[in-house]
Amino acid sequence: MGNTMFSIGEDHIRFAQPALSLAIGYRTLAQHCFHHTPPTPYEVEMAIATVEDYIEAMPELQQLASNQVCADAYLQDIARRVGSEQALSQLELERLFNRMADVVSGSPMREGEFPDDKNFFSYLLIVRELSHHLGIQHIALA
């Protein structure tokens, strides 16, 4: 399969192929699960479970291409944080997500490492879960 597009919006996740939409987005997830910035470990676990429930409810997503394209501003911010401007690998997403998990678990946050923004944490969690559970290996930035 070739590259296909997806987008994570405030209240939805949309995929171009297969043409599907999930009724959860970074803002709705943050409002539902995150009551602290950065979120607590419990809040992160609840958010992960929520995203997994949406993914599992749509088995058609298992046919998603491993190479995706995305033009979301938050994804561009994430790419800059890992030193990339054109694409993100699953490994880069995992590393940044694991660093976020370290911060959530009490490791000190380096100045400017993450924005003071629940929506950023929520977006990072969603894109990591999509990559992890749907086998997205590479995301080109549009």
Side-chain angles (χ1 to χ4, degrees), residues 72-82 84 96 115 120 141:
D72 297 346
Y74 275 122
L75 192 67
Q76 292 172 3
D77 185 14
I78 289 167
R80 282 190 298 276
R81 290 174 190 281
V82 301
S84 179
L96 189 61
F120 175 87
L141 303 174

Side-chain angles (χ1 to χ4, degrees), residues 8-9 25-31 34 36-39 44 72-82 88 92-93 96-97 99-101 103-104 109 112-128:
I8 302 169
Y26 62 82
R27 183 180 50 95
T28 52
L29 185 67
Q31 288 175 339
F34 294 165
H36 303 87
T37 305
V44 169
D72 297 346
Y74 275 122
L75 192 67
Q76 292 172 3
D77 185 14
I78 289 167
R80 282 190 298 276
R81 290 174 190 281
V82 301
L88 277 167
E92 289 168 325
L93 279 172
L96 189 61
F97 180 82
R99 178 62 191 137
M100 179 190 85
V103 168
V104 164
M109 187 173 7
E113 184 174 23
F114 295 110
D116 186 25
D117 179 1
K118 292 177 188 177
N119 290 332
F120 175 87
F121 287 101
S122 177
Y123 188 99
L124 176 57
L125 185 144
I126 291 171
V127 75
R128 184 271 182 179

